[in-house]
Amino acid sequence: MADWPILSLTTFLPSIGALLILLVRGEEQAVARNAKAIALATSLLTFIVSLGILVKFDPSSAGFQLVEEHSWIPALGIQYLRGIDGVSVWFVLASTFLTPICVLASWDSIDKRVKQFMMSLLLLETMLVGMFTALDFILFYIFFEGVLLPMFLMIGVWGGPGRIYAAYKFFIYTFIGSVLMLLAIVAMYLQVGTMDMRVMLDHTFDPSMQKILWLAFFAAFAVKTPMWPFHTWLPFAHVEAPTAGSVMLAGVMLKMGGYGLIRANLQMLPIGSATYTTLVFVMSVVAIIYTSLVALAQTDMKKMIAYSSVAHMGYVSMGIFSANAQGLDGAMFQMLSHTVVSAALFLCIGVVYNRLHTREIARYGGMAHNMPKYAVVFMLFMLASVGLPGTSGFVGEFLSMLGAYEANTWVGLFASTGLVFGAAYMLLLYRKLFYGKLEKPDVIAMPDLNGKEIIYFAPLIAIVIMMGVYPKSFSGVYAASLDHILTHHREALAAEGLTPPVANPASSFIPAANAETISAHPATSETPGTEHAVEPSNPETPSAETPAEAPHGEPKADANPDAGH
Amino acid sequence: MAVIAAIFLPLLASFIAGFFGRRIGDRGSQLVTCAAMLVALGLSIHLFVDVAINGHAQVVTLANWVASGAFHVDWALRVDTLTAVMLIVVNGVSTMVHIYSVGYMSHDPDKPRFMSYLSLFTFMMLMLVTADNLLQMFFGWEGVGVASYLLINFWFEKKSANDASMKAFLVNRVGDFGFALGIFSIFIIFGSVEFSAIFPAAASKAHATFNFLGWHVSALDCACLLLFVGAMGKSAQLGLHTWLPDAMEGPTPVSALIHAATMVTAGVFMLARMSPVFEYAPTALAVVTVLGALTAFVAATIGMTQFDIKRVIAYSTMSQLGYMFFAIGVSAYQAAVFHLMTHAFFKALLFLGAGSVIHAMSGEQDMRKMGGIWKLIPYTWVMMWIGNLALAGIGIPGVYGFAGFYSKDIILEAAYASGTGVGHFAYWLGIAAAFMTAFYSWRLLFMTFHGKPRASKDVMDHVHESPVVMTGPLTVLAVGALLAGIVGYNAFVGHEARPEFWRGAIQVLHAHDSIHAAHEGPHWVGFLPLVVGLVGIGLAYVCYILVPSMPATFTKIVKPLHVLVFNKYFFDQIYTALFVKPAMLLGFGLWKAGDGAIIDGLGPDGVAKTTRGVAAGVSRLQSGYVYHYAFAMVIGVVALVGWFYFKP
């Protein structure tokens, strides 16, 4: 077991499941039932296998782990090369975790071509896992594009009335972006002579070339993330996609953009990143404010959540290019939190959509009366989306805003307005759905959450709380990798005489020689679970803490920070 | 362990009542939550004795919370004198409100949910006051915001409750926006958000500058002002106060607990907690003073004109919070916390008393439809008198006074004694507010209890005294209103006992020590509030008992002014026109014009359209007629030959 190629196993297990489903024959209903059963079993098995990745992964090491290396097309320097580091490991888990949930969520809601739908879902999982674990750029590109196909089908075949427009818009938009990326990959290959991403990470590209390459990658990932103004495909895709499609799209596919921004743009092209930081900041801040305002005006609940996704991903891009510890940590955490929260919110919408078959917010109202369990679940995810401390949404949002504020106070200020705007539309949505009088007969007739729904909401709730209360359980896995990335980034910039953006360098706050003359509050020990007495500052001995002792002789005899004289 | 139990018991109770309310029933959830609160109260008293009297301040670290680079924050509970006072206030009032609610909500079908929310709120408030760092304070801060949102919206069928709860949450979020930026600034300046790291370093940063939006400003002033924006939101200071009166949509016990005694004082607590930093931020302190004084004054003017009994008390709360803030502005933090404590008792008393009145009047809140009921509900009437005497700060100097007599006076004295311009400004506005406070308090008493009954006969027939489960908590709070001032005075703000009591939990620069100066100020400064208070009561007596036609005549004379004040200075209307409507319009416009016309129009849809157009054009060329192709070929040949011929 120890030497099993666990990454490949996780990647291709779902494909095997899909093949099995292909072989299912017989009467239509039986086919549907068997296809669902196989899909659920395969996805669960894949999830269990993927837990093995987490077990084997060593969080203290920053490099790539569980590497699988096989020669593939030696003439072109292309290998079958797989591996993970802290940045990618959670995304693999996110893919394998959400897939069984999607199978469950589609159990009753998909009633045509069930077999094909389940195959698409499993293939999508293969592509996603493959993409996050690829270390060869061609492999990366294949999986990156491969994701498009099952998703295109899911929107185009099982989507709503406007599915054709939405599917094509989604496909062409993202495809154009990734073609530019392919050009960049080829250009980099011509420089380095291999498609091995590890080599490219260590290679320093020519600064002027970096700027062009950066833009090419950025085009691909900005569309995928999506960043304003390349976001207009997302609301359409979400609105038309079936619930499972929305969950995978918001939960994992958008993170491909964030992952790419970290892996290719920030890590491989530090000079490019430094050059275009302002551009990213502007786009992110506009995204946060603009899409929050647009979300306010929506009457379709899925569109509202879709726009909120754009705003939340704005924090991610902003955090990444703040290029400091808090910003990058925040971006990473925000991505993970958004994975869970947006997936959960789309599942929540799926719950009522399955019952009433409309996403029109005005068609609902007063559901807190007849669906109390649902109201509680929705409330929790609403609060997480709003970024309430104690839920997962807070940590990422707060850290990325802090990171941005450190880099540039304007950016931090504008991004923080999201605290208000983000709350506004979510509260509005919640209010229109759940509060007020319960009047409409078809809404009254809706039953509360059923067992299956509770089963897939329960782990999501647990994760949201866990991430909010003890974020280290998640951030501990990638801390070393991010630290390594930042160090590398700073070194690369320093070699060119550049520095990451900083509004207020720490050095400007260590001015006075009297810094150590104040010791009113000795630092308390941080051993968990023990009680310590805080030594109260003693008002009888002011001399020890009077800055008047400071050598520069400034008359500050009044500066005794104690009352009672 | 006592700390952990005192804080987490309410959470546990909230959890049980919330999720198993249906299983354990109404009675069960009331029992669980009230019992948990009683135990927590007992533990808080124990802690108060241990910490404030015996001097055993402590910090309990529970677990790591957020760690990112240099940013490191733990879940930790800090109990020093300031926290111990707040524990008594929060758990004390909360316990009383829990018990009172058993009676008040007896006709409501959702009792477990109500009790659960109350306990959840208490937990969040306790987390706020025991925070050992700014982030955890933010946790409690936002947590009480959510609990307040849920409780204001408790009767969620009412549209007005929906509106009020959303408004409360969003206006508070505007404040939190400032708070968050303040935390960011503190982290950048100090490299930490933990109090044990910030406070000792504050003096060394006194002259540091900070690049805020391109301006180089005093670092600590900048950070403190941003924190103050947070405090303004939570504590309903002028500008971010509009949510508080509307929050009265919630059940009355909620108003007593959250919107009078505890949550709204969180801003005061935060500033008092941050005293070691604020002391080095003179500009911030001046701003706090001015805004606090203006709030005290403006809220009092509005309070004189309102007719909803709860709204009058709400504006009175806002006004009293203004007092606490300008006390902080003149570095009289201890006086502010003292007033916070006394105010919690008498204002909770007033609200619960008002609840008892409303309960008796079959839900009526308009004072114009009350009057003449004091004989019918004598116990409530006495309680309301005590509450108002405490609020107006009545007493006999040197002998005895109601709670507010001590705490309000020391604030005003300190403001005067601070000797600064803003201090004097605050003093005189405070005196004016004190006059108005006494006036509207007795206006409330006279209109509600005295004079001729104005309610319908049906209502009057049903007027009844509240059950013991409601009057009991009133009694306990009344004892607080009677004794909190005289008992606490020495320890909180007294001449000698003060340092012993606070033990460095609040730090004041010697030169700023306005409470010290207050004890040596001129005597008239301390007498004046009492005098204007008595005059205010007298005037109310004249206006509402002797010559009941006078208020109407008077308002006619100053009509424009009355319109302005009666409509609360049109803050709501201005904000709606300035922010709410434009935001919705902008959202709609950005969606249709920005996303639709510009981005899609010029981007994907535009490109698609152009492509289709070009393709259609090109396809028309392929007509299938040979002579068309021949003609095109000739043109091509001519063009090619011409090109080579004329090529330079």
Side-chain angles (χ1 to χ4, degrees), chain B residues 300-524:
Chain B
T301 58
I302 303 176
M304 292 197 299
T305 61
Q306 300 299 307
F307 290 110
D308 184 318
I309 185 169
K310 282 179 75 182
R311 283 192 186 229
V312 172
I313 308 179
Y315 279 107
S316 144
T317 303
M318 182 179 154
S319 173
Q320 297 302 308
L321 289 166
Y323 277 96
M324 297 177 210
F325 273 99
F326 76 69
I328 282 172
V330 298
S331 293
Y333 305 94
Q334 293 136 337
V337 176
F338 184 37
H339 195 52
L340 187 165
M341 191 263 295
T342 60
H343 174 259
F345 289 116
F346 63 70
K347 194 50 70 66
L349 173 63
L350 281 173
F351 261 121
L352 294 187
S356 182
V357 170
I358 296 166
H359 200 67
M361 300 291 291
S362 316
E364 184 57 60
Q365 301 196 10
D366 192 333
M367 295 193 295
R368 283 170 297 191
K369 293 180 187 156
M370 297 180 181
I373 54 170
W374 72 274
K375 273 186 198 152
L376 300 172
I377 46 172
Y379 197 79
T380 305
W381 174 69
V382 171
M383 292 297 125
M384 290 294 276
W385 264 85
I386 294 175
N388 278 321
L389 284 166
L391 170 62
I394 304 301
I396 308 163
V399 183
Y400 168 77
F402 291 89
F405 173 73
Y406 296 96
S407 54
K408 195 196 280 183
D409 272 20
I410 188 70
I411 286 180
L412 287 166
E413 284 170 346
Y416 187 85
S418 71
T420 56
V422 289
H424 284 252
F425 174 76
Y427 176 75
W428 289 111
L429 282 188
I431 290 289
F435 165 74
M436 291 186 277
T437 305
F439 178 80
Y440 66 63
S441 299
W442 264 264
R443 174 177 174 265
L444 183 148
L445 277 180
F446 291 144
M447 285 184 84
T448 309
F449 292 102
H450 300 266
K452 283 202 192 78
R454 291 180 296 274
S456 67
K457 192 177 171 303
D458 203 32
V459 172
M460 286 304 284
D461 287 347
H462 281 95
V463 173
H464 58 283
E465 187 60 273
S466 300
V468 183
V469 73
M470 286 166 72
T471 51
L474 286 181
T475 314
V476 174
L477 292 169
V479 171
L482 288 170
L483 298 180
I486 192 164
V487 171
Y489 185 78
N490 237 340
F492 278 79
V493 291
H495 220 17
E496 287 91 30
R498 192 158 55 112
E500 287 270 304
F501 179 71
W502 291 101
R503 289 192 176 82
I506 284 174
Q507 299 185 19
V508 185
L509 298 184
H510 193 55
H512 286 183
D513 194 356
S514 54
I515 294 179
H516 178 74
H519 290 306
E520 276 142 29
H523 280 295
W524 64 267

Side-chain angles (χ1 to χ4, degrees), chain A residues 453-466:
Chain A
E453 285 157 348
I454 290 174
I455 285 175
Y456 61 68
F457 278 126
L460 291 166
I461 292 172
I463 292 175
V464 164
I465 305 269
M466 183 72 183

Side-chain angles (χ1 to χ4, degrees), chain A residues 187-269:
Chain A
M188 286 163 83
Y189 167 76
L190 294 177
Q191 282 259 312
V192 185
T194 172
M195 284 289 184
D196 190 336
M197 287 164 78
R198 294 173 301 179
V199 179
M200 293 202 189
L201 285 170
D202 291 334
H203 184 83
T204 309
F205 293 93
D206 180 54
S208 56
M209 187 179 169
Q210 278 202 28
K211 290 173 192 171
I212 298 165
L213 292 175
W214 191 93
L215 283 177
F217 277 110
F218 185 67
F221 301 134
V223 170
K224 207 79 170 184
T225 306
M227 291 177 70
W228 180 89
F230 307 115
H231 66 281
T232 55
W233 62 270
L234 187 72
F236 288 94
H238 268 309
V239 165
E240 301 303 335
T243 300
S246 286
V247 169
M248 290 311 275
L249 185 59
V252 194
M253 278 185 66
L254 302 189
K255 310 306 175 304
M256 293 162 63
Y259 171 73
L261 287 177
I262 295 179
R263 185 69 89 220
N265 290 59
L266 187 73
Q267 270 190 287
M268 292 182 188
L269 308 165

Side-chain angles (χ1 to χ4, degrees), chain A residues 176-496:
Chain A
I176 289 174
S178 41
V179 165
L180 291 173
M181 176 172 80
L182 181 63
L183 289 177
I185 291 175
V186 172
M188 286 163 83
Y189 167 76
L190 294 177
Q191 282 259 312
V192 185
T194 172
M195 284 289 184
D196 190 336
M197 287 164 78
R198 294 173 301 179
V199 179
M200 293 202 189
L201 285 170
D202 291 334
H203 184 83
T204 309
F205 293 93
D206 180 54
S208 56
M209 187 179 169
Q210 278 202 28
K211 290 173 192 171
I212 298 165
L213 292 175
W214 191 93
L215 283 177
F217 277 110
F218 185 67
F221 301 134
V223 170
K224 207 79 170 184
T225 306
M227 291 177 70
W228 180 89
F230 307 115
H231 66 281
T232 55
W233 62 270
L234 187 72
F236 288 94
H238 268 309
V239 165
E240 301 303 335
T243 300
S246 286
V247 169
M248 290 311 275
L249 185 59
V252 194
M253 278 185 66
L254 302 189
K255 310 306 175 304
M256 293 162 63
Y259 171 73
L261 287 177
I262 295 179
R263 185 69 89 220
N265 290 59
L266 187 73
Q267 270 190 287
M268 292 182 188
L269 308 165
I271 312 290
S273 300
T275 312
Y276 294 108
T277 300
T278 314
L279 174 75
V280 178
F281 279 167
V282 170
M283 285 170 67
S284 308
V285 163
V286 171
I288 291 168
I289 298 173
Y290 177 109
T291 48
S292 298
L293 285 173
V294 172
L296 259 183
Q298 299 307 311
T299 54
D300 179 316
M301 50 174 137
K302 245 183 164 180
K303 249 188 186 164
M304 196 182 248
I305 305 296
Y307 275 110
S308 90
S309 280
V310 182
H312 283 137
M313 293 306 283
Y315 288 106
V316 173
S317 47
M318 178 182 81
I320 291 173
F321 291 97
S322 301
N324 52 41
Q326 287 78 35
L328 193 55
D329 272 1
M332 194 66 200
F333 207 87
Q334 174 78 352
M335 280 199 270
L336 298 182
S337 162
H338 184 259
T339 294
V340 185
V341 174
S342 66
L345 283 173
F346 280 118
L347 286 169
C348 281
I349 291 174
V351 167
V352 281
Y353 185 78
N354 287 345
R355 287 162 173 68
L356 217 57
H357 299 285
T358 175
R359 295 177 310 265
E360 198 63 29
I361 298 170
R363 286 283 292 107
Y364 298 89
M367 289 192 291
H369 283 282
N370 62 329
M371 303 177 76
K373 285 180 204 156
Y374 179 56
V376 170
V377 170
F378 203 113
M379 168 70 75
L380 189 95
F381 293 121
M382 186 265 284
L383 292 175
S385 169
V386 163
L388 187 82
T391 65
S392 62
F394 172 69
V395 182
E397 203 173 282
F398 185 87
L399 284 178
S400 57
M401 289 191 297
L402 173 57
Y405 191 76
E406 285 174 66
N408 185 323
T409 45
W410 277 108
V411 177
L413 180 94
F414 280 126
S416 303
T417 59
L419 281 176
V420 184
F421 294 131
Y425 60 80
M426 286 310 285
L427 290 183
L428 196 66
L429 173 68
Y430 195 84
R431 174 219 176 128
K432 285 182 176 169
L433 292 180
F434 291 94
Y435 293 146
K437 288 203 172 61
L438 182 65
E439 287 165 335
K440 304 178 181 83
D442 46 357
V443 177
I444 294 173
M446 292 201 297
D448 207 348
L449 295 182
N450 61 35
K452 206 182 291 145
E453 285 157 348
I454 290 174
I455 285 175
Y456 61 68
F457 278 126
L460 291 166
I461 292 172
I463 292 175
V464 164
I465 305 269
M466 183 72 183
M467 285 178 81
V469 175
Y470 192 64
K472 213 177 188 174
S473 51
F474 285 78
S475 65
V477 173
Y478 57 73
S481 294
L482 293 193
D483 196 45
H484 169 75
I485 291 174
L486 275 181
T487 317
H488 180 258
H489 184 76
R490 267 193 219 107
E491 282 166 3
L493 290 190
E496 287 290 317

Side-chain angles (χ1 to χ4, degrees), chain A residues 169 232 307 329 509 518 529 531, chain B residues 1 61 68 200 205 595 600:
Chain A
K169 193 170 187 177
T232 55
Y307 275 110
D329 272 1
F509 298 109
I518 297 193
E531 304 189 8
Chain B
M1 277 323 286
T61 307
S68 166
K205 316 282 186 194
D595 263 25
D600 271 355

